[in-house]
Amino acid sequence: MGSSIHTLGELRRARTSATGLRRRSVKDEVRENLIEKLRAGETLFPGIIGYEETVIPQLVNAILSRHNFILLGLRGQAKSRILRGLIDLLDDTIPVVPGCEIHDDPLEPLCAGCRARVAAEGDKLPLAWLPRDLRFVEKLATPDVTIADMVGDIDPIKAARAGLGLSDELTMHYGLLPRANRGIFAINELADLAGKIQVGLFNILQEGDIQIKGYPVRLRLDLLMVFTANPEDYTARGKIITPLKDRIGSEIRTHYPLTRDHAMAITGQEAWLSRHADGRQLEIPPYLREIVEEIAFQARAERKIDKRSGVSQRMPITCLENVVSNAERRALMADENPIVPRVTDIYSAIPSLTGKFELEYEGELRGADNVARDLIRAAVGAIFAERFDCVETRRVIEWFDMGGTLQIADISSAAELIKQARCVQGLVELADHLGLKSDAPPPLLASAVDFILEGLYAQKKITRSDERGYHAAEQQSRRPPRQTETSLDDSLPMPSSGKKKYYN
Ligand SMILES: [Zn+2]
């Protein structure tokens, strides 16, 4: 549309013609473009997984209602991503007065500069076309954000140079909000914004008006305002001024993935896994993806971890990337193909986990690394229980009980691991339950064996030293079995599906 219109006169004629461009507010524009997408059955907010029946319908209703809205949710719930997705609902381009800092509409300019230009140049005024991605302004709220940052300031030097009074509009230095005019303004973590600035926002939501340093500069901005906040901060008394809250049309709650399948789909989409390590293939066993995801689910339910700040979905994403990197490193050193991550690689990925949660006091006592280790072990236990619940593992446990030990290193090659594992009666054969025959590619088989050993370790049927030596579980703690069950459960909460069995 824009390409054929170059001047104000052409725009005026196009807009008055039967098929012309109608002048509309940002909220109408977004609403009408959304209606188009709904009618065409298009996927709304592509790439946002697991919100189809919860968040997205509420979001659609807020937009159809022409509301300014807020997303309430914990970290890593795709809030910012949803807000950026609103860009898709803007027109491809809109006409603006070239060079105007607040993207004035040539037909209805707000600022003094543009009004003067339109008066002087009339229909010959050239136009610029503003693409939609430049119409989204995002600001992370912090307590030190000032009115000058947000709304603007008077520039005394500019005034002096031009010989203008300070109250003259031409002396203004615009803040983020006026610069977002005719677009979407997103403020993340609204509760961190000082009360004074919240009042400023309220004025804009109320009147569409800004005032700068008390000067009666009236700018009727056209904006869609959207926010995010942590739900507890938002509802805490005194964090958000009531009139501002009252002006936010809809509050929409986001959430973490409700199912492991959704979570795995998100991680699969976001994690950087399409690597070309020296031409080697990457094969991630399904149980490994499940365990990485289960860590986040365990973490969100863990009482040592602060529930108010949440456990970001970035946790499984960075974890899986790090797991794959450890496998990549091993494959390069042992010259193996394909690259197959192992469960023990997850322990090497602890640096990708510890920054993704805040600890409660009890967790601080235990230490972030240990909390992460406990989470991994619990996750392995849960997935192992799902896969091996009805599988007889007694022969393997007996082998260790008879004094057998197995020493495996982080960088042991697949061939080496399997060679050692073959000494243990029935161990390699258990991989059959993961769909792997004994002639499967060694890296896959080695990963399966590693999973089984780690699963038995997670279920405390065998023990493992820090140096990754596997041996029998402590005898006195395994006999009699009843006592064992209580004493072990104290130290490691196992999911109910991970019921332990003892084979003595
Ligand atoms: Zn202007």
Side-chain angles (χ1 to χ4, degrees), residues 312-325:
S312 166
Q313 188 60 26
R314 281 179 284 273
M315 180 202 252
I317 294 167
T318 53
C319 178
L320 189 58
E321 287 171 344
N322 231 346
V323 164
V324 167
S325 296

Side-chain angles (χ1 to χ4, degrees), residues 378-412:
V380 173
I383 303 302
F384 185 73
E386 282 176 22
R387 298 260 178 169
F388 282 86
D389 204 23
C390 303
V391 177
E392 187 62 85
T393 53
R394 180 171 38 184
R395 282 177 69 205
V396 174
I397 295 159
E398 274 174 2
W399 185 86
F400 285 103
D401 280 353
M402 311 244 293
T405 59
L406 207 53
Q407 185 72 41
I408 295 164
D410 186 31
I411 50 158
S412 290

Side-chain angles (χ1 to χ4, degrees), residues 171-186:
T171 66
M172 282 181 23
H173 175 80
Y174 294 117
L176 284 168
L177 265 164
R179 285 168 191 275
N181 185 38
R182 303 182 73 207
I184 299 169
F185 191 72

Side-chain angles (χ1 to χ4, degrees), residues 97-105 108-115 117 169 174 181 219:
V97 178
C100 176
E101 290 178 324
I102 62 169
H103 308 311
D104 257 326
D105 182 342
E108 274 180 54
L110 294 175
C111 78
C114 289
R115 287 200 307 269
R117 279 191 75 181
E169 210 185 299
Y174 294 117
N181 185 38
L219 285 180

Side-chain angles (χ1 to χ4, degrees), residues 164-239:
L164 297 164
L166 277 183
S167 64
D168 196 296
E169 210 185 299
L170 292 170
T171 66
M172 282 181 23
H173 175 80
Y174 294 117
L176 284 168
L177 265 164
R179 285 168 191 275
N181 185 38
R182 303 182 73 207
I184 299 169
F185 191 72
I187 300 180
N188 287 309
E189 301 307 333
L190 179 63
D192 289 339
L193 216 54
K196 222 162 122 186
I197 322 267
Q198 292 185 25
V199 173
L201 287 179
F202 162 67
N203 284 335
I204 289 155
L205 295 183
Q206 169 83 3
E207 312 284 349
D209 241 26
I210 59 163
Q211 271 196 17
I212 294 182
K213 284 242 172 116
Y215 289 105
V217 176
R218 305 209 79 185
L219 285 180
R220 236 159 226 289
L221 299 179
D222 176 16
L223 287 167
L224 166 61
M225 299 255 272
V226 290
F227 310 93
T228 70
N230 178 301
E232 280 208 22
D233 289 348
Y234 188 71
T235 48
R237 232 183 143 68
K239 282 269 200 170

